[in-house]
C-alpha cells in the first residue's frame, strides 16, 4: 500500500513539474523542436534514473520494429531529441528501457530486465512526453505533457 501511495505522489509531482516546465515561450519552442521526450525516475531511491540506456523504435509497414536511436538518460533522468520534428510521423513507437543494466550498476537485482512502452502517435504536430516511474519490482507510465 505504501508503494502505491508513493507512486501516486510521484506521479502528481511529475505532473506539476511537467506542467510548469512547459508554460514559458522557450519551453514551447523546445517542445516543437523536440517532439518526443521521456523522463525516468527511480521511485525506490527517489532519484532520477541516471545513465539508463533507452532505445526508440518505430513499427514499419511490415510490422517489424525499426530502431531509430539509442540514448542514455541524463543527470535528471531525461531523454530528449530522440528524433527531429521532420522524422516524427504518425505511427506506433516503442521505448525500451534497459533496467537490468541500470540496476546492475547500482548493485541491485530487478524483476524486469527491460521495460518496453508501446504507444501510438496520431497527431505528430503535438508534443508527446512518455515518462516512466520504476523500481526493481514495478513500474508505471502515463502520457505526460
Amino acid at each position: 500500500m505504501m508503494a502505491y501511495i508513493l507512486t501516486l505522489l510521484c506521479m502528481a509531482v511529475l505532473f506539476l513539474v511537467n506542467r510548469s516546465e512547459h508554460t514559458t515561450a522557450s519551453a514551447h519552442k523546445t517542445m516543437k523542436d523536440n517532439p518526443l521526450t521521456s523522463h525516468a525516475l527511480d521511485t525506490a531511491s527517489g532519484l532520477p534514473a541516471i545513465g539508463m540506456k533507452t532505445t526508440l523504435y518505430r513499427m514499419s509497414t511490415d510490422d517489424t520494429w525499426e530502431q531509430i536511436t539509442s540514448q542514455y538518460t541524463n543527470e535528471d533522468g531525461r531523454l530528449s531529441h530522440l528524433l527531429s520534428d521532420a522524422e516524427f510521423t504518425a505511427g506506433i513507437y516503442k521505448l525500451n528501457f534497459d533496467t537490468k543494466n541500470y540496476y546492475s550498476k547500482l548493485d541491485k537485482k530487478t524483476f524486469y530486465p527491460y521495460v518496453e512502452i508501446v504507444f501510438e502517435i496520431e497527431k505528430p504536430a503535438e508534443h508527446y512526453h512518455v515518462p516512466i516511474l520504476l523500481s526493481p519490482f514495478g513500474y508505471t507510465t502515463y502520457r505526460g505533457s
Side-chain angles (χ1 to χ4, degrees), residues 17-118:
V17 168
N18 284 331
R19 210 168 149 203
S20 68
E21 285 176 346
H22 300 300
T23 56
T24 64
S26 63
H28 286 295
K29 179 179 178 353
T30 301
M31 286 190 303
K32 183 182 181 320
D33 298 339
N34 194 11
L36 177 64
T37 56
S38 185
H39 191 190
L41 291 176
D42 185 340
T43 58
S45 68
L47 298 170
I50 300 169
M52 184 184 320
K53 184 178 179 182
T54 307
T55 306
L56 175 66
Y57 298 88
R58 178 179 17 237
M59 186 173 284
S60 66
T61 55
D62 65 353
D63 291 336
T64 60
W65 291 108
E66 172 187 316
Q67 182 175 331
I68 297 171
T69 188
S70 189
Q71 293 183 17
Y72 289 85
T73 54
N74 68 15
E75 65 279 352
D76 292 323
R78 294 183 182 276
L79 295 162
S80 61
H81 302 289
L82 292 163
L83 40 71
S84 71
D85 197 42
E87 295 171 307
F88 196 52
T89 58
I92 298 177
Y93 291 78
K94 172 173 68 172
L95 281 169
N96 174 291
F97 295 87
D98 186 357
T99 52
K100 182 172 183 147
N101 283 328
Y102 167 74
Y103 280 114
S104 290
K105 289 186 248 176
L106 299 174
D107 201 28
K108 293 182 180 177
K109 292 188 182 275
T110 180
F111 183 69
Y112 301 100
Y114 61 89
V115 173
E116 291 187 328
I117 302 172
V118 179

